[in-house]
Amino acid sequence: MKYDFNKEVNRKHNDSAKWDEIGKNFISKDLLPMWVADMDFETAPEILEAMQKKLNQKIFGYVSRPDSYYESAANWTKRRYGYDINPKTLIHAPGVVPSISLILRLFSNENDKILIQSPVYYPFSNIIEKNNRKLVVNLLKEQNGKYFIDFEDFQKKCEDPDLKWFILCNPHNPVGRVWTRRELERMGEICLKNNVRVIADEIWRDLVYKDYKYIPFASLSKEIEDITITCFAATKTFNIAGLQASFVSFPRQEELIKFDNELGVLDIKRNNPFSLVAIEAAFNKGEPWLNELLDYLQSNLDFLIEYFEKNIPKVKVIKPEGTYLVWLDFRSLGLNNADLSILLQKEGKIALDDGFWFGENGGGFERINIACPRYLLEDGLKRIKKAVDSIK
């Protein structure tokens, strides 16, 4: 391999939220952080080289964004996924979460109903409720270690005339599903029939395991593309989330203009100097690094599955099809949410994302981040084993 993903890293005291905010979010500071969804790998050297070149210029004024910035994102989407996206439909935004929040604020009204599929990334519900919209939940169904969409319930929820938007997570965080073409088409057909617009959070699109295929929701048809606003980024893929850069694709030009104007009102339209060059380098030169990363993540996943089967059989692994997050089922231990969380922190000295954060049907689960060198993953799994073994 050209890139070393086994390299030892030390992120303590480098202002890392994942490592340095442990004491704010958990019971003590001495836990192993395997919660926040960023990677404990060095960023691709091709990206670092572009950032170093910018650093060497020694001046960091306001940034003028070239057309090549958007073209790099469009070319990447075409090259890897066969979706010919028009660069003129793209706009830069500081992140997917603020983009979704702003979309709801601009293109829905207070008390409109917004649909999500639980368990799902918890900022979704926070965004909806804090914007004074009404949260509607389509509970995913878990069967034999895999999650499926309850389409009967999904259709019923979409038939409500007060339901205006559906937030799709594909690939799905935290359950790891990469929705199939048929699943996506069924959701799209129901949304079209009931005049429900779609916000597609596709930030995990590049992180899909072998034998599975990510399909851009907006690529299904021109009709579905027209009702969909897609959010994506290079930041999860290349471990540069701290650079605060993402893309939003608006098929309707009038909505792009309105969104752009609002970014202007907030004065957050520009990139910083480093995100500009980093994103272009990622899309133009980062593919070899990503391909090796995917192989490494697959080996980490295989290691984790085997470890649980041999050493912690009471805990069931929901095998992900995408993302570097793994959804772990602790329900057989018979603990309530608080006791499970404290057990892992106190006895295992490990910080995971508690399942109940992701919705009412996330109780009894925990989410672990496996995007780290093997020595850290092995340490984390041993800590989970110690915690489970401590139960009398």
Side-chain angles (χ1 to χ4, degrees), residues 69 72 234-235 240 245 247 271 274-284:
Y69 180 76
S72 69
T235 51
I240 48 176
F247 295 87
N271 292 75
F274 295 103
S275 69
L276 185 77
V277 297
I279 299 304
E280 279 205 48
F283 284 141
N284 292 335

Side-chain angles (χ1 to χ4, degrees), residues 88-108:
K88 295 189 181 300
T89 70
L90 298 177
I91 190 168
H92 165 83
V96 167
V97 172
S99 294
I100 296 174
S101 181
L102 191 54
I103 289 166
L104 291 180
R105 193 173 300 180
L106 291 174
F107 306 118
S108 70

Side-chain angles (χ1 to χ4, degrees), residues 278-293:
I279 299 304
E280 279 205 48
F283 284 141
N284 292 335
K285 301 178 180 180
E287 201 157 15
W289 182 90
L290 173 59
N291 292 336
E292 289 195 16
L293 168 70

Side-chain angles (χ1 to χ4, degrees), residues 108-173:
S108 70
N109 299 311
E110 289 195 5
N111 296 317
D112 280 352
K113 293 181 179 179
I114 315 297
L115 180 65
I116 63 174
Q117 294 175 309
S118 176
V120 74
Y121 186 45
Y122 44 86
F124 287 0
S125 58
N126 293 339
I127 289 169
I128 293 166
E129 292 171 344
K130 289 181 179 178
N131 278 308
N132 297 318
R133 276 61 176 171
K134 291 183 178 179
L135 178 66
V136 178
V137 178
N138 171 228
L139 297 177
L140 298 176
K141 300 186 296 185
E142 186 263 321
Q143 298 175 359
N144 301 318
K146 185 173 181 177
Y147 280 82
F148 298 90
I149 298 166
D150 183 343
F151 277 104
E152 182 178 348
D153 179 73
F154 184 86
Q155 179 169 326
K156 181 179 179 181
K157 299 287 173 60
C158 288
E159 288 173 348
D160 183 343
D162 292 329
L163 186 82
K164 303 301 182 182
W165 287 88
F166 162 49
I167 304 177
L168 169 69
C169 190
N170 182 41
H172 190 94
N173 169 17

